[in-house]
Amino acid sequence: MAKGLLVTYVLWAVGGPAGLHHLYLGRDSHALLWMLTLGGGGLGWLWEFWKLPSFVAQANRAQGQRQSSRGGTPPVSPIRFAAQMIVGIYFGLVALISLSFMASFYIVGLPLAVGLGVLLVAAVGNQTSDFKNTLGAAFLTSPIFYGRPIAILPISLVASITAQKHRRYKASMVSETLSVRLYRLGLAYLAFTGPLAYSALCNTAATLSYVAETLDSFLSWFNFFPLLGRLMESVLLLPYRVWRLLVGDRGFSSGYFQEWEKLYEFVRSFQDEKRQLAYQVLGLLEGATNEEIHQRYRELVKIWHPDHNPHQTEEAQRHFLEIQAAYEALSPPRKLRGF
């Protein structure tokens, strides 16, 4: 059945940031990308207004050519390459916030997340790329920068270059029912948002703290490029500014420092509460030195280690985890120490 331009524009206006128009046109990869980024931060959704006629023509042309695959190599697209880089970094930052507790995160979790982000953009439209080569390049790059969040940048760069090198047109596929497509998109959406939602709901204070640290580290990458750094600050502050506009808060002339200060104070309130609880768990007064914290931690670990309490394993395990969490809260951050 031929796709209609009017229907496409209606779906774009009603549910564009959620990718409804792409779902209608059979562009499932593009729909998933929009679902995970809210239409590319809204900018991609607005930019598509002029591209919808070509998307509809491409979808109708693809319906008439399902029996044969297109040969040749797609032309190089700087826009697609830049999008691969950005989405790869975005997926890496989300993984850094929600999955960094994994023991093998920098070897498995981080390159996998960045590589999948690059491949998602590579699969937009009638193009795709080689799955094994792109992920292989990401995994081979990750050990070089092991333990440092800055690894997101080179992994995304190498994976994007590899995806561009192995770009090709999609092979012809049998048409699938809408329920099957929605099921696949739902699983992919849950795989992306599930760990992040768990971290935000079950460990809100730590998640907010790590979000602030991650954003600070991310912006520090642009110290040598002040104009680019200022642009990234504008992008990151855009949702906050929109919220202030919706609630009627004036005073947009306060500048970047005041806006970041408000966000910092909001996060700091959670950090202060977490530190107070940590002092209580370790049985220390606020302001204890690092040596006192470390000494008290070693004493409590010896007392409550599960191997030393075989008759009360569950209680010992609970205390042991609380002591470890308290020590982590009062110790200097180690995840971002590479900076």
Side-chain angles (χ1 to χ4, degrees):
M1 182 178 178
K3 305 299 182 181
L5 182 60
L6 180 59
V7 176
T8 304
Y9 269 109
V10 171
L11 292 175
W12 172 86
V14 174
L20 289 183
H21 56 301
H22 289 303
L23 186 64
Y24 168 70
L25 296 175
R27 301 166 59 93
D28 291 356
S29 297
H30 211 158
L32 179 60
L33 178 63
W34 258 212
M35 290 167 60
L36 299 180
T37 63
L38 290 180
L43 298 178
W45 169 61
L46 295 174
W47 179 74
E48 279 186 334
F49 180 84
W50 314 103
K51 304 286 292 183
L52 292 183
S54 63
F55 290 164
V56 173
Q58 187 180 91
N60 290 329
R61 186 165 56 249
Q63 285 186 341
Q65 297 177 348
R66 288 192 185 278
Q67 68 278 8
S68 61
S69 59
R70 185 173 178 179
T73 302
V76 177
S77 173
I79 295 179
R80 186 182 291 263
F81 177 78
Q84 288 173 344
M85 280 285 300
I86 294 172
V87 175
I89 292 172
Y90 168 64
F91 273 48
L93 290 174
V94 171
L96 196 64
I97 293 170
S98 57
L99 298 175
S100 57
F101 62 87
M102 294 172 52
S104 56
F105 171 73
Y106 286 99
I107 294 295
V108 179
L110 185 61
L112 179 62
V114 175
L116 290 177
V118 171
L119 284 169
L120 179 60
V121 179
V124 165
N126 61 349
Q127 298 184 27
T128 186
S129 188
D130 187 80
F131 184 84
K132 293 182 179 179
N133 284 309
T134 303
L135 285 185
F139 279 104
L140 289 175
T141 308
S142 61
I144 302 176
F145 301 89
Y146 179 79
R148 291 182 290 175
I150 198 174
I152 295 174
L153 282 178
I155 293 174
S156 182
L157 176 61
V158 173
S160 299
I161 293 175
T162 306
Q164 283 288 310
K165 180 180 179 181
H166 295 277
R167 67 190 184 280
R168 65 175 185 270
Y169 288 108
K170 291 180 179 177
S172 58
M173 298 179 60
V174 179
S175 179
E176 296 178 325
T177 61
L178 181 61
S179 59
V180 173
R181 294 166 55 204
L182 290 175
Y183 175 73
R184 186 184 295 113
L185 287 174
L187 288 180
Y189 184 81
L190 288 176
F192 181 88
T193 59
L196 186 61
Y198 175 81
S199 298
L201 295 176
C202 298
N203 201 0
T204 306
T207 302
L208 285 172
S209 174
Y210 200 52
V211 168
E213 293 175 350
T214 302
L215 291 177
D216 177 69
S217 300
F218 179 71
L219 290 175
S220 70
W221 297 344
F222 301 95
N223 284 340
F224 298 103
F225 307 97
L227 293 179
L228 186 58
R230 191 172 182 84
L231 175 62
M232 292 307 303
E233 284 195 21
S234 299
V235 173
L236 292 173
L237 282 172
L238 183 60
Y240 174 62
R241 291 185 168 209
V242 171
W243 175 79
R244 287 178 56 185
L245 181 63
L246 292 176
V247 300
D249 189 6
R250 306 294 181 184
F252 277 80
S253 60
S254 55
Y256 287 112
F257 177 77
Q258 287 79 3
E259 294 179 4
W260 281 116
E261 188 178 32
K262 290 181 180 179
L263 291 178
Y264 175 78
E265 290 175 355
F266 175 71
V267 174
R268 187 63 180 271
S269 64
F270 288 92
Q271 292 177 320
D272 291 340
E273 181 180 356
K274 183 177 68 172
R275 291 180 65 86
Q276 291 175 3
L277 293 175
Y279 281 118
Q280 294 178 11
V281 170
L282 296 180
L284 295 172
L285 297 176
E286 293 188 27
T289 64
N290 291 334
E291 290 76 12
E292 293 173 340
I293 294 172
H294 184 68
Q295 182 179 358
R296 183 59 176 168
Y297 166 73
R298 291 176 62 87
E299 294 174 355
L300 292 176
V301 163
K302 291 180 181 179
I303 295 174
W304 289 107
H305 197 284
D307 294 342
H308 300 162
N309 297 271
H311 302 296
Q312 47 179 354
T313 306
E314 293 185 2
E315 183 180 358
Q317 181 73 15
R318 179 174 60 83
H319 282 290
F320 186 74
L321 293 176
E322 289 179 353
I323 293 166
Q324 283 188 319
Y327 181 69
E328 289 289 336
L330 297 177
S331 300
R334 295 180 295 174
K335 294 177 181 177
L336 300 179
R337 191 170 290 175
F339 288 95

